[in-house]
Amino acid sequence: MPGENRAGACCAPARGEVGSLFQLTAPGGRFTSPASRDGTCAIALPGGEFRMGDAFDEGYPEDAEGPVRTVTVEPFRIDTTAVTNARFAHFVEDTGYVTEAERYGSSFVFHLLLHPRARDAVFGQVEAAPWWLGVEGASWSAPEGPGSEVTGRADHPVVHVSYRDALAYCAWAGARLPTEAEWEYAARGGLDGRRYPWGDDFAPERLNTWQGDFPRVSTRPGGATGTVPVDAYEPNGFGLFNTSGNVWEWCADRFAPDGEQRVIRGGSYLCHASYCHRYRVAARSKNTPDSSTGHGGFRCAWDLTGR
């Protein structure tokens, strides 16, 4: 299979891998409002049976992508895009919510994206993935560390949100996180057993993943890297955008039945076949519920019963 397996911190460094941090309790909250509260654009899907998992035997064994199995999902509704900075800002303004990155005082920033004024805020690197920097003051509203902001990126996915932050947002929006099966069903867009939301052939013009020599040189147009708008590129057959690349998305499920880590799906702007081939629709990774990164976001789902 393409690339070498680099598990763990490669995809999503966990809080505690850099520095000494205190434990927080999870935010609470109840579903208090209809799904329209945050101005979301969601689509209802009929559900039913689909084949879930890696049909090409390309997954990393420890990721447990296989075997391919038939799974049934009930009808549900899901965001066509990841939650944006604008939507998250509305949530924060309405509730006064403080994210875990803000409470801890730090988050993880990719080294080439570090804001020049944030250099003195770096307090360490992740040993297994030194391109991840622990940066004091990095958060959803300062994604590249102190000195950065989200002005001009209202339509980009919110990042530096933990699993618990995502739950708090969902509670406010009357939503929930999608299950892993729902996420994959939706991400496939009706295509059975394919690698990507559009088919089997990699198409760099259809997703936001790393281009160049990872993690040193980006050859994307203009030399840029990082997030793009949530509706960039063509949608899949169900009308969902960016289910491969851009940002990792939290799912409701535990990565393993007996573990604390939660599933993340979809890959990000840092994925590359030479290092991490997890932008395939069957690919999965994980992180701890209190962790946040500069390439981690989420989208919401809703039950259709009673709506």
Side-chain angles (χ1 to χ4, degrees), residues 100-290:
E100 292 200 284
E102 292 168 301
R103 289 200 248 175
Y104 280 121
S106 67
S107 192
F108 291 102
V109 176
F110 181 65
H111 72 119
L112 294 183
L113 294 179
L114 184 71
H115 193 278
R117 287 169 51 190
R119 290 171 183 164
D120 291 341
V122 176
F123 61 87
Q125 297 172 298
V126 176
E127 182 177 356
W131 48 89
W132 281 117
L133 308 177
V135 180
E136 294 177 350
S139 71
W140 77 272
S141 60
E144 292 80 46
S148 64
E149 55 185 26
V150 294
T151 301
R153 290 184 279 179
D155 60 349
H156 284 229
V158 66
V159 293
H160 295 291
V161 286
S162 71
Y163 172 82
R164 295 167 178 168
D165 297 332
L167 290 184
Y169 178 95
C170 287
W172 169 79
R176 59 176 174 81
L177 290 175
T179 67
E180 186 175 10
E182 288 173 336
W183 191 97
E184 185 169 328
Y185 167 84
R188 289 187 175 278
L191 295 183
D192 179 54
R194 300 301 184 91
R195 284 189 179 93
Y196 309 111
W198 56 84
D200 289 334
D201 296 327
F202 182 70
E205 73 278 6
R206 299 197 66 163
L207 79 170
N208 180 22
T209 55
W210 185 269
Q211 297 178 39
D213 178 17
F214 182 84
R216 301 170 187 84
V217 179
S218 170
T219 59
R220 276 180 53 186
T225 188
T227 61
V228 297
V230 294
D231 59 354
Y233 309 105
E234 296 179 24
N236 70 9
F238 286 159
L240 275 70
F241 294 86
N242 294 356
T243 55
S244 283
N246 212 23
V247 294
W248 284 100
E249 298 181 10
W250 290 107
C251 292
D253 305 59
R254 296 180 186 273
F255 187 80
D258 57 350
E260 140 183 67
Q261 294 172 315
R262 299 286 173 163
V263 172
I264 52 176
R265 297 295 299 259
S268 81
Y269 58 81
L270 295 181
C271 287
H272 189 270
S274 68
Y275 203 89
C276 169
H277 193 224
R278 291 186 175 97
Y279 46 84
R280 297 166 293 110
V281 286
R284 61 201 302 259
S285 195
K286 60 187 182 295
N287 211 343
T288 59
D290 60 348

